Amino acid sequence: MTNNPRSGQVAPHASFVVVANRLAVERTTDADGQPGWRTSPGGLVTALEPIMKAKEGAWVGWHGSPDEILEPFAHDGIEMVPIPLAADEVAEFYEGMSNATLWPLYHDSVAFPEYHREWWDAYVKVNQRFAEAAAEVAEKDGTVWVQDYQLQLVPQMLRGMRPDLKIGFFLHIPFPPQELFNQLPWRKEILEGLTGADIVGFQVPGAAANFLRLIRDRLGLETKRGEFVRADGTRGRAAAYPISIDANAFQDLASQPDTLARAQQIRDDLDAEIVFLGVDRLDYTKGLRQRIRAFGELFQSGQLDPDKAVFLQIATPSRERVDEYRKLRDDIELLVGRINGDMGRIGRSPINYLHSGYPRQEMAALYRAADVMVVTPLRDGMNLVAKEYVACRGTGDGALVLSEFAGAARELKQAWQVNPYDINGMKQTILDAANASVTEKRRRMRTLRRQVFTNDINHWAEAFLSDLGVGVADK
Ligand code: GDG
């Protein structure tokens, strides 16, 4: 595959360009079997939609099928620029370097990161392709906002080709301390790649501090109060911009009559006095093993009564072609099967485990149906599920159990916080949250809701873009 099959076909025209691993649309087939596209559900697209439409925006990303070259197309007022990936690039750049090297390394090495030189070569090549496509569509002095760990080389590549552009980068996952990051054979290249951005954004201040320390120690760059000076004397900034959700949209969805009816139906089907809920992509960073073990022990010891309590775990299928994820699925299903086998009875399983994805409205109904939401990742950049639960609790009750290792823990201080590695501590806190008085639950939820509704996804996008010099007023 050539590096840029569309080279020369697109005139630079977009004043605001988002570059992300995936396009903001997914494929659909209508009733007559006609293929089409629909906007992907998700906060990033929602937050950026108004500015994309107002500013002749373009979205550069992979469309999801290997070995397919597509021309740019307009969707709902936004230009989509599909980047082709060959099947071996999907294996090496995406499943390999992105999801079996960088993902585990950046999440505290909770799974062992693999280092393969051919994965790295694919990563460089694909990053170059994304950078070239962005350089082609962005108009003079335009803005390009690059997203996430798959594209860390794009800022510098783009700056090399188009020094006129304003370049932002946002990392959705944690950025590790140097003790871990230094393992990476290509640590210097990644750091250089990121310093190409004018603003390098992270979820939490600690991640920005890790980055600044690394570029000082490894690249010898001068840094001061969040600013860094590149070798050519130009400056950039690293700072925290905690991402959030469209809180009002979740609240509205959760309070629609059909969502409420569905929530009631879920309660009726579960037939329990108390419902605990977990919702995660099936990922080893999410702490599912520890969480399920904690519930197993709570049921076994009788501290939770299987006749009165149920733990509903939604595990959304994820990265099923990566070995570590297949192994995780087997482990979880063995664990759940054992617990239910030991402690269930006919017609009743203490753990209700579903390996499936659901429409957004079903998610809102689930949040509405749950008395206690249990979010216990071993490490998480932010964790939007925790914020979605809070936004859906329009009744002001419910309890959130939250890992201190999720970025969200910095903001959601009124959650019942846990160390997910401490199973006894986690068991106690789950019980404390479940048994807290209604007054206590309401008091905590009130503060949580204020936090989530004040710092929503628009707040996030506006904070980042105004620091990048893209005024909210000129949207
Ligand atoms: C990365 C970072 C950071 C899940 N299952 C279904 C479904 N979801 C939605 C949730 C939520 C999103 O997916 C998951 O977001 P998280 O933040 O919880 O986690 P990651 O996927 O790991 O996201 C994370 C995030 O990026 C944003 O920066 O917070 O730390 O790891 O919105 O609701 N949505 C639907 N059906 C499902 O079955 N519709």
Side-chain angles (χ1 to χ4, degrees):
M1 185 169 290
T2 61
N3 223 24
N4 194 352
R6 294 174 306 91
S7 196
Q9 291 179 13
V10 191
H13 53 275
S15 66
F16 184 76
V17 181
V18 171
V19 187
N21 179 51
R22 291 300 295 268
L23 273 187
V25 287
E26 49 194 40
R27 278 204 160 92
T28 54
T29 313
D30 70 12
D32 306 326
Q34 287 302 308
W37 299 95
R38 75 162 162 248
T39 306
S40 307
L44 191 61
V45 190
T46 318
L48 299 179
E49 218 170 21
I51 184 167
M52 299 284 283
K53 286 183 178 164
K55 276 186 169 275
E56 285 236 37
W59 190 297
V60 175
W62 181 43
H63 45 280
S65 15
D67 292 323
E68 186 189 30
I69 296 175
L70 294 178
E71 289 302 316
F73 60 94
H75 176 83
D76 206 7
I78 299 173
E79 189 197 0
M80 299 292 158
V81 183
I83 301 296
L85 290 184
D88 61 340
E89 291 170 342
V90 176
E92 294 180 346
F93 152 76
Y94 180 65
E95 289 158 359
M97 187 69 202
S98 298
N99 288 335
T101 306
L102 295 169
W103 179 269
L105 179 68
Y106 282 27
H107 286 89
D108 281 0
S109 285
V110 296
F112 208 68
E114 287 183 53
Y115 302 111
H116 297 292
R117 284 163 285 184
E118 56 289 5
W119 290 2
W120 170 252
D121 293 343
Y123 188 83
V124 175
K125 190 171 162 207
V126 171
N127 270 250
Q128 183 72 33
R129 188 176 306 146
F130 276 79
E132 282 171 12
E136 258 183 48
V137 292
E139 73 174 25
K140 177 136 179 49
D141 299 325
T143 301
V144 179
W145 193 0
V146 184
Q147 309 288 325
D148 227 357
Y149 62 103
Q150 303 92 347
L151 301 174
Q152 293 173 96
L153 305 179
V154 170
Q156 194 202 27
M157 290 170 166
L158 196 50
R159 172 173 288 274
M161 289 181 267
R162 292 287 307 273
D164 59 298
L165 297 174
K166 279 189 196 117
I167 302 171
F169 178 89
F170 184 75
L171 185 71
H172 291 253
I173 69 174
F175 192 79
Q178 62 172 351
E179 289 75 7
L180 280 170
F181 187 83
N182 281 340
Q183 283 181 18
L184 194 62
W186 312 283
R187 57 198 181 189
K188 191 160 171 280
E189 289 85 341
I190 295 267
L191 293 172
E192 282 169 351
L194 292 170
T195 54
D198 296 297
I199 302 276
V200 189
F202 298 90
Q203 300 277 24
V204 292
N210 288 345
F211 171 73
L212 287 162
R213 179 165 176 203
L214 272 157
I215 58 172
R216 204 165 50 229
D217 293 354
R218 289 270 145 212
L219 304 183
L221 299 192
E222 191 189 312
T223 66
K224 199 170 178 189
R225 273 189 254 109
E227 262 201 356
F228 56 87
V229 186
R230 299 186 194 91
D232 64 3
T234 55
R235 285 161 191 271
R237 272 190 78 75
Y241 302 88
I243 200 168
S244 193
I245 57 164
D246 186 344
N248 287 312
F250 268 98
Q251 157 140 296
D252 291 349
L253 188 58
S255 39
Q256 277 176 21
D258 47 346
T259 312
L260 294 177
R262 178 63 194 143
Q264 187 56 51
Q265 181 69 51
I266 292 169
R267 292 286 319 202
D268 293 347
D269 290 349
L270 290 170
D271 186 26
E273 284 172 23
I274 181 156
V275 174
F276 296 88
L277 175 67
V279 173
D280 309 80
R281 273 187 311 99
L282 187 48
D283 193 297
Y284 50 78
T285 60
K286 301 293 183 184
L288 288 160
R289 289 187 176 99
Q290 290 80 350
R291 189 187 311 161
I292 290 169
R293 210 171 300 143
F295 273 99
E297 290 182 18
L298 286 170
F299 282 118
Q300 191 136 39
S301 64
Q303 287 165 291
L304 286 181
D305 180 349
D307 283 326
K308 296 189 178 144
V310 67
F311 171 43
L312 171 59
Q313 175 65 53
I314 310 289
T316 311
S318 182
R319 306 179 189 168
E320 293 185 293
R321 286 156 50 105
V322 179
D323 284 345
E324 199 62 36
Y325 288 76
R326 277 196 274 234
K327 188 167 163 299
L328 174 72
R329 182 174 176 193
D330 288 346
D331 287 0
I332 295 296
E333 294 179 359
L334 184 71
L335 203 55
V336 170
R338 275 209 185 129
I339 293 167
N340 283 339
D342 286 345
M343 256 125 9
R345 56 181 176 75
I346 291 172
R348 193 146 195 109
S349 301
I351 302 184
N352 199 325
Y353 163 84
L354 299 168
H355 180 247
S356 189
Y358 294 92
R360 186 151 284 242
Q361 189 170 15
E362 181 76 358
M363 306 283 290
L366 286 161
Y367 293 141
R368 201 68 189 213
D371 300 297
V372 182
M373 184 80 211
V374 191
V375 182
T376 58
L378 303 177
R379 180 57 76 191
D380 216 329
M382 178 53 59
N383 196 291
L384 298 181
V385 165
K387 294 185 173 182
E388 289 166 7
Y389 177 71
V390 168
C392 288
R393 304 304 300 184
T395 43
D397 58 359
L400 174 65
V401 174
L402 179 62
S403 164
E404 59 192 68
F405 301 123
R410 285 194 76 255
E411 297 170 276
L412 305 182
K413 293 238 161 51
Q414 296 295 316
W416 274 268
Q417 295 205 358
V418 295
N419 169 1
Y421 293 96
D422 170 11
I423 304 226
N424 284 346
M426 188 155 58
K427 282 159 61 183
Q428 188 53 53
T429 308
I430 288 170
L431 292 177
D432 291 347
N435 297 330
S437 68
V438 176
T439 319
E440 167 79 354
K441 286 180 180 153
R442 287 185 176 279
R443 185 181 63 73
R444 290 186 184 231
M445 188 54 78
R446 202 164 35 241
T447 315
L448 292 173
R449 285 176 64 77
R450 202 174 305 129
Q451 216 294 328
V452 170
F453 280 84
T454 310
N455 299 295
D456 67 358
I457 185 78
N458 288 324
H459 177 87
W460 170 78
E462 285 174 11
F464 188 98
L465 292 174
S466 80
D467 282 2
L468 193 55
V470 183
V472 177
D474 58 320
K475 260 205 248 186

